[in-house]
Amino acid sequence: MGCEDCLGRTPYGSLIATITLCLGVGLFCGTGYYAMELMHTGIFVRLYGVYISWLKTIQVVFLIFGITMGLFSMVILLFGFLSTGLTRENIYSSFKCAVGGRVWAVCLMVITYILNTAWLAITFLCAMPIIVYVMVRSICKHEIELRDYWYLDNYCLNLTRFGIYINTTQGYLVEGLCDEIDLSQFCEYVYDAGPMFCFAFSGSCFIVLGLMMYLVALSTNYERIKSSKELTEYRSVVDLADIK
């Protein structure tokens, strides 16, 4: 009986959405942070001698996103537990509690909708590094790896080829990668960072999916709280009728 009661109090929709969201957050933050580290430290700093501060800022933003989404998922999961089974009937039996629960559900739905819209934009942005990865990977394969040594003697890979121009007044190294070892390391960093960006894109898709599942669960909880109040009033009327 106790086990059945616990199962009846479990918000399966919110629980599945939380697992999906946490999986996406872990993929997005972990692989995205590592991919940015490979691109910044490996390619720009070690090979080209360029330090780009805003790339480090993006890494910090990844961590902030992860912590924020994790806390938000716990809040919605807690609200799901409070809005399921006998717990809902005990907490939202009075008029004030029911109104407060419905207002809280609406607030969470609005926040979730805004976050879902923002993460849709982030998902589209995450597709851009994948496109660049496919392009650069093709350069590494056809212009560096499949070429003979005599071709690499006159080959240089410059950042201006990708539309990146470095301010020469700040003492940055602006020469292209002409050494065979440097070119090989560049391709290795690209091969390592590319799949990480793909995993980060998959993580953002999981986050969007989890937020959409939260919207469904919250709308369901809103209706449950509303019906719970009406059911409680009906039971009170029936009990009074029985007493009379």
Side-chain angles (χ1 to χ4, degrees):
M1 185 68 180
C3 182
E4 294 180 356
D5 184 56
C6 292
L7 293 176
R9 295 170 183 262
T10 303
Y12 294 102
S14 299
L15 185 61
I16 295 174
T18 301
I19 295 174
T20 303
L21 183 67
C22 291
L23 176 62
V25 169
L27 276 174
F28 179 82
C29 294
T31 58
Y33 185 93
Y34 183 62
M36 295 299 295
E37 183 69 20
L38 287 173
M39 187 173 67
H40 178 259
T41 305
I43 295 177
F44 287 104
V45 175
R46 294 179 181 176
L47 297 180
Y48 285 97
V50 180
Y51 182 84
I52 304 177
S53 58
W54 59 267
L55 288 179
K56 301 297 291 185
T57 303
I58 293 178
Q59 289 181 292
V60 178
V61 172
F62 281 159
L63 297 179
I64 295 176
F65 278 173
I67 296 174
T68 303
M69 295 303 297
L71 293 176
F72 181 71
S73 64
M74 293 299 105
V75 171
I76 296 184
L77 182 60
L78 176 61
F79 181 76
F81 275 104
L82 296 177
S83 306
T84 304
L86 294 177
T87 306
R88 178 184 67 250
E89 298 178 3
N90 295 331
I91 294 179
Y92 301 111
S93 58
S94 64
F95 175 78
K96 292 183 179 180
C97 293
V99 172
R102 290 161 63 184
V103 171
W104 185 236
V106 171
C107 293
L108 289 177
M109 281 191 287
V110 172
I111 297 174
T112 303
Y113 181 81
I114 295 174
L115 288 175
N116 193 28
T117 304
W119 276 101
L120 280 173
I122 294 174
T123 302
F124 284 115
L125 291 176
C126 288
M128 296 177 61
I130 299 177
I131 297 174
V132 175
Y133 161 67
V134 173
M135 297 170 59
V136 178
R137 182 176 180 273
S138 179
I139 293 175
C140 288
K141 181 178 180 181
H142 295 285
E143 297 187 9
I144 297 177
E145 295 181 352
L146 298 182
R147 295 289 185 174
D148 296 327
Y149 291 107
W150 65 267
Y151 172 83
L152 294 177
D153 292 338
N154 300 319
Y155 181 86
C156 291
L157 185 62
N158 202 303
L159 289 178
T160 56
R161 184 173 184 177
F162 308 101
I164 302 175
Y165 295 89
I166 305 172
N167 188 0
T168 57
T169 61
Q170 298 187 15
Y172 294 138
L173 298 177
V174 297
E175 295 83 0
L177 299 179
C178 301
D179 185 73
E180 179 186 348
I181 297 178
D182 292 338
L183 291 172
S184 178
Q185 290 180 349
F186 174 84
C187 292
E188 289 179 2
Y189 285 127
V190 170
Y191 292 152
D192 291 338
M196 295 297 104
F197 281 117
C198 295
F199 283 124
F201 176 79
S202 301
S204 64
C205 292
F206 276 112
I207 293 174
V208 171
L209 178 61
L211 290 173
M212 294 177 65
M213 295 170 66
Y214 273 142
L215 286 175
V216 176
L218 287 171
S219 61
T220 303
N221 291 334
Y222 176 85
E223 292 298 328
R224 285 177 176 175
I225 294 173
K226 182 180 179 180
S227 61
S228 177
K229 172 181 173 297
E230 296 174 352
L231 182 60
T232 301
E233 293 176 351
Y234 174 76
R235 288 177 177 175
S236 299
V237 173
V238 172
D239 292 339
L240 288 176
D242 292 339
I243 292 175
K244 293 179 181 181

